[in-house]
Amino acid sequence: DAGITQSPRYKITETGRQVTLMCHQTWSHSYMFWYRQDLGHGLRLIYYSAAADITDKGEVPDGYVVSRSKTENFPLTLESATRSQTSVYFCASSDHQTATDTQYFGPGTRLTVL
Amino acid sequence: GQSLEQPSEVTAVEGAIVQINCTYQTSGFYGLSWYQQHDGGAPTFLSYNALDGLEETGRFSSFLSRSDSYGYLLLQELQMKDSASYFCAVSRANDYKLSFGAGTTVTVRA
């Protein structure tokens, strides 16, 4: 019962490189989200998805691409990494069935762009 | 647009009570959630209010006043393990996304 996992947990890359962060959930939740967390900004939504092949932009989508070919996976790609994308990235999922809209977060990926 | 305001830091001693306020401006407001995040960890769900009033879950309680666009999280009998960041988040009707506040760092001292 892994729940929601992210890989890698830590990544160092260079400016201009393409990086893909992986997110996998075992609950078959319909909804998935990508956030970035920076000091003083809380959690900012990058992209989200209501189901396989349905994705939409969040608050800070520039420089990121997502796909969702399978319900359980929601990879986030930085097409050409910049220093400003150094952050901690969290993936989350939700089934939207409960009244609370509870989101379940993965452990995060700490990304450093040099 | 949406905005949420919560204090950036709160410090208290073990055994004390801490109240973290959250004010919001959100069109189509549906509910207010609270999440806890320990340093280096992932956010985890704590509490949710959709109706006015107090929800109690053990040592933690959450309150909502829809007319005042205001809520708070009450931490009672503080323990060292309660040192963490606490985020309020709003959900909107017909929308499954959450919008998070910037977070309040609670430090519990011995």
Side-chain angles (χ1 to χ4, degrees), chain B residues 2-101:
Chain B
Q2 302 176 72
S3 71
L4 294 95
E5 290 191 13
Q6 53 181 127
S8 58
E9 295 180 39
V10 173
T11 300
V13 298
E14 272 187 301
I17 298 173
V18 160
Q19 179 173 315
I20 304 169
N21 298 321
C22 176
T23 57
Y24 59 86
Q25 290 185 330
T26 303
S27 58
F29 174 83
Y30 191 77
L32 184 70
S33 301
W34 290 92
Y35 284 75
Q36 179 192 57
Q37 183 181 29
H38 286 100
D39 196 26
T44 56
F45 173 79
L46 277 181
S47 187
Y48 175 81
N49 296 71
L51 303 176
D52 286 356
L54 193 68
E55 293 283 342
E56 298 181 76
T57 310
R59 295 185 295 112
F60 295 178
S61 303
S62 59
F63 172 83
L64 176 65
S65 169
R66 297 174 70 99
S67 60
D68 294 323
S69 298
Y70 162 77
Y72 66 71
L73 180 69
L74 193 71
L75 315 180
Q76 302 181 79
E77 301 172 20
L78 274 179
Q79 301 177 9
M80 298 298 288
K81 66 180 181 180
D82 298 330
S83 291
S85 292
Y86 295 83
F87 297 88
C88 58
V90 296
S91 54
R92 301 167 63 190
N94 302 315
D95 189 356
Y96 56 90
K97 302 189 300 295
L98 293 176
S99 295
F100 287 84

Side-chain angles (χ1 to χ4, degrees), chain A:
Chain A
D1 57 347
I4 182 165
T5 57
Q6 293 182 236
S7 62
R9 294 291 315 278
Y10 302 89
K11 177 73 177 178
I12 300 174
T13 191
E14 295 178 337
T15 303
R17 300 235 178 187
Q18 183 179 80
V19 176
T20 296
L21 310 184
M22 305 301 293
C23 178
H24 175 78
Q25 52 106 353
T26 60
W27 296 305
S28 298
H29 284 171
S30 296
Y31 301 89
M32 296 188 75
F33 311 84
W34 273 107
Y35 296 91
R36 60 177 290 172
Q37 185 173 38
D38 307 288
L39 200 61
H41 287 280
L43 292 154
R44 292 186 290 175
L45 184 64
I46 304 171
Y47 268 95
Y48 58 102
S49 170
D53 297 322
I54 300 175
T55 62
D56 210 342
K57 296 178 180 180
E59 181 186 353
V60 288
D62 293 343
Y64 303 95
V65 174
V66 293
S67 62
R68 195 160 175 214
S69 57
K70 293 183 178 181
T71 299
E72 61 266 30
N73 296 324
F74 191 37
L76 176 75
T77 297
L78 288 66
E79 294 185 297
S80 178
T82 65
R83 289 200 180 95
S84 65
Q85 292 177 311
T86 293
S87 186
V88 180
Y89 291 86
F90 287 100
C91 177
S93 72
S94 168
D95 63 6
H96 197 48
Q97 301 284 341
T98 64
T100 62
D101 278 339
T102 300
Q103 292 190 11
Y104 300 89
F105 286 79
T109 294
R110 186 173 295 272
L111 176 68
T112 301
V113 183
L114 302 176

